Amino acid sequence: MRVLLSEEAIAVRVRELGAEITADYAESDDLVLIAVMRGSMCFVADLMRAINRPLRLDYLALRSYDGIDGADVAITTALTEPLRGADVLIIEDIVDRGVTLRVAFDLVQRQEPRSIEVCTLLQKPLQPGVAEPRYAGFVVGKEFVVGYGLDYDQRYRNLPYIAVPNEADIRR
Ligand code: IMP
Ligand code: MG
């Protein structure tokens, strides 16, 4: 496996994002982080501790099934916190085609929060029609990455760094 982003590099960037979010939401009295599970688990755990503001945490789980024309997304765990009038920050592991994010965004929007922004750890090259996240940790290439929450077939989420798997890593 080739390490793309070390544990240290991630930690530095997460602290920067936390500081930025802390400043941007200084006037907000109801910040709600919504983690898109399961990929954003490590990221949200570290990021929330880098945000020096009162906040609420909620999560939703989406499952995307790859089909011929992209993906179909199903909701497997719904939101529980009330979001009306809140400042919502959706936390994603990676934005690629933006399909998952679109579904999460629409679900949140239905509850009429005051604002909705997106914070993603990783951003693949922006595709046409995909809205740019307000906060992005790192822009990466098109290659598939694993670790720090991201999986290949449910494996490698526990790696403390982000890496590009090689052929042998993704063979059973
Ligand atoms: P999108 O809907 O195409 O933006 O993809 C979103 C979801 O696909 C992410 O939340 C990830 O769970 C998964 N995904 C996309 N690219 C990668 C990758 O390189 N490694 C692991 N998971 C990925
Ligand atoms: Mg995933």
Side-chain angles (χ1 to χ4, degrees):
M1 229 176 265
R2 176 166 62 84
V3 177
L4 192 65
L5 298 165
S6 69
E7 200 174 346
E8 294 73 23
I10 296 168
V12 166
R13 188 68 185 115
V14 169
R15 277 197 294 273
E16 284 173 2
L17 288 170
E20 209 180 316
I21 292 164
T22 300
D24 291 352
Y25 288 86
E27 304 300 316
S28 169
D29 55 12
D30 193 16
L31 172 61
V32 184
L33 304 187
I34 295 182
V36 181
M37 287 291 133
R38 282 167 267 182
S40 71
M41 195 172 246
C42 297
F43 182 40
V44 78
D46 288 339
L47 181 68
M48 69 188 286
R49 286 177 288 179
I51 300 173
N52 188 18
R53 291 286 309 156
L55 57 80
R56 293 188 283 145
L57 174 69
D58 201 356
Y59 62 91
L60 57 87
L62 302 173
R63 188 173 203 105
S64 48
Y65 303 90
D66 287 320
I68 299 156
D69 323 298
D72 248 349
V73 181
I75 303 156
T76 55
T77 308
L79 291 163
T80 55
E81 287 295 309
L83 300 178
R84 195 184 183 86
D87 292 307
V88 172
L89 190 54
I90 298 174
I91 314 295
E92 260 278 31
D93 53 352
I94 186 164
V95 176
D96 181 12
R97 294 158 303 175
V99 181
T100 313
L101 197 54
R102 188 73 248 165
V103 174
F105 198 96
D106 290 347
L107 271 171
V108 170
Q109 199 160 41
R110 254 182 254 166
Q111 288 202 50
E112 300 179 356
R114 184 166 79 157
S115 67
I116 315 176
E117 297 290 352
V118 174
C119 178
T120 187
L121 177 66
L122 306 175
Q123 166 80 69
K124 286 198 174 176
L126 214 58
Q127 308 211 14
V130 179
E132 194 170 349
R134 168 87 178 265
Y135 307 95
F138 303 91
V139 175
V140 295
K142 287 194 170 121
E143 52 206 353
F144 195 83
V145 293
V146 296
Y148 194 67
L150 291 105
D151 70 303
Y152 171 77
D153 206 11
Q154 298 308 327
R155 289 184 295 157
Y156 304 124
R157 290 193 199 274
N158 56 322
L159 295 177
Y161 47 81
I162 289 173
V164 180
N166 53 41
E167 282 295 308
D169 298 321
I170 60 177
R171 227 178 0 236
R172 274 276 179 201

